[in-house]
Amino acid sequence: MSDSFDVIIIGGGSAGSSAALTCLNRGKTVGVITNPMETSSLYKAELVTNYPGVPGLTGKELTELFRRQLEESDAEIIHGRALSVMPMDEGFGVAVGTDFYMAKALIIAAGITRENLYPGEAEFLGRGVSYCATCDGMLYRGKTVALIGSSEEAKQDVEFLRGIGCNVLHFDKPAKCEITGESKATKLTYGGKEYDVDCVFIIKDTVSVQSLVPGLEYEKGGIITDKKMATNVPGVFAAGDCAGKPYQLAKAAGEGNIAALSACEYLDKN
């Protein structure tokens, strides 16, 4: 498995697949970071009738077509969640679990994160709030940590943290939540009850694009882009639902193509 690419694409849906195939056609090396197909909104669609060339398919069938074409291409599929993006001298570093990948350009095609950020989540990210138990768990051996999440991954992370000696408070039901502290997170209020904690692990299917790339401009439900799908961060492009409404397949695939062409142009000039 390579750890360095010309382009990393975050998201393997219609926008991400379109972007990956176009970048490959332009001779670029491509890594695609993607969650399981079953976690996408499209996968759950009962019927898709307005995507040209493939009438009357279910969301599951269409998602499987996208994934199959991606798997049969020369793109390298990286299974997992992109946790953070770090601008570096020669491009970007992307953390996926405990792994780290480099790219000269980045395309965000992560769909939309329907979960709102908890109060204090963004403020204390990296200071007592973490999205990765396997990355940061060892820092809190013998300490009390909270883990918020109900997925299978969250349950596995609870066992991992307990296995390394953490006192784990696991919260897997919907409730009002707030993270507070001074220089770092020290308290979690969940369902009206306050807990003293050393860290709060938040396990979601995707990390909000608002906290993914430092300085990325975002408004009204989407990443701000120009007509070339370029963001305010040089070398970073966005496409699909994460770039705003309308949330339609044809729009996502088209934007993925544009973002890829723009990323290739950026790479050829830099």
Side-chain angles (χ1 to χ4, degrees), residues 129-269:
V129 170
S130 172
Y131 295 137
C132 183
T134 55
C135 308
D136 299 328
M138 294 298 288
L139 299 173
Y140 299 97
R141 294 182 69 180
K143 298 182 178 181
T144 297
V145 302
L147 188 143
I148 301 172
S150 59
S151 66
E152 188 60 35
E153 179 187 359
K155 295 173 185 176
Q156 292 172 0
D157 284 344
V158 168
E159 294 307 312
F160 166 76
L161 290 168
R162 287 176 177 157
I164 62 172
C166 297
N167 175 32
V168 183
L169 307 174
H170 183 202
F171 302 99
D172 62 354
K173 305 296 183 184
K176 283 190 175 182
C177 169
E178 183 178 7
I179 302 161
T180 55
E182 293 184 3
S183 61
K184 68 180 296 294
T186 57
K187 292 186 183 296
L188 171 69
T189 302
Y190 193 92
K193 186 175 180 180
E194 187 176 271
Y195 302 86
D196 292 324
V197 295
D198 295 291
C199 183
V200 179
F201 291 98
I202 302 173
I203 309 302
K204 303 177 181 179
D205 288 335
T206 58
V207 175
S208 169
V209 293
Q210 292 173 273
S211 58
L212 193 59
V213 182
L216 189 69
E217 292 183 351
Y218 182 95
E219 70 172 9
K220 296 180 180 178
I223 300 169
I224 299 173
T225 66
D226 62 16
K227 290 184 178 181
K228 291 188 173 183
M229 308 315 298
T231 72
N232 65 301
V233 179
V236 178
F237 305 84
D241 289 355
C242 67
K245 294 180 178 180
Y247 302 141
Q248 296 289 324
L249 282 180
K251 178 254 194 188
E255 287 185 350
N257 177 262
I258 295 169
L261 293 173
S262 299
C264 292
E265 181 181 2
Y266 171 84
L267 289 171
D268 292 341
K269 290 181 177 179

Side-chain angles (χ1 to χ4, degrees), residues 25-72:
N25 286 343
R26 296 300 187 277
K28 308 304 181 186
T29 57
V30 177
V32 181
I33 301 169
T34 181
N35 287 318
M37 294 183 295
E38 294 80 5
T39 63
S40 74
S41 298
L42 174 60
Y43 190 88
K44 302 175 180 70
E46 182 177 352
L47 193 66
V48 179
T49 60
N50 65 342
Y51 194 76
V54 284
L57 294 185
T58 65
K60 178 178 182 291
E61 291 169 332
L62 197 51
T63 304
E64 289 173 344
L65 280 176
F66 291 150
R67 184 57 56 88
R68 188 178 308 119
Q69 187 174 12
L70 198 56
E71 289 175 343
E72 292 173 354

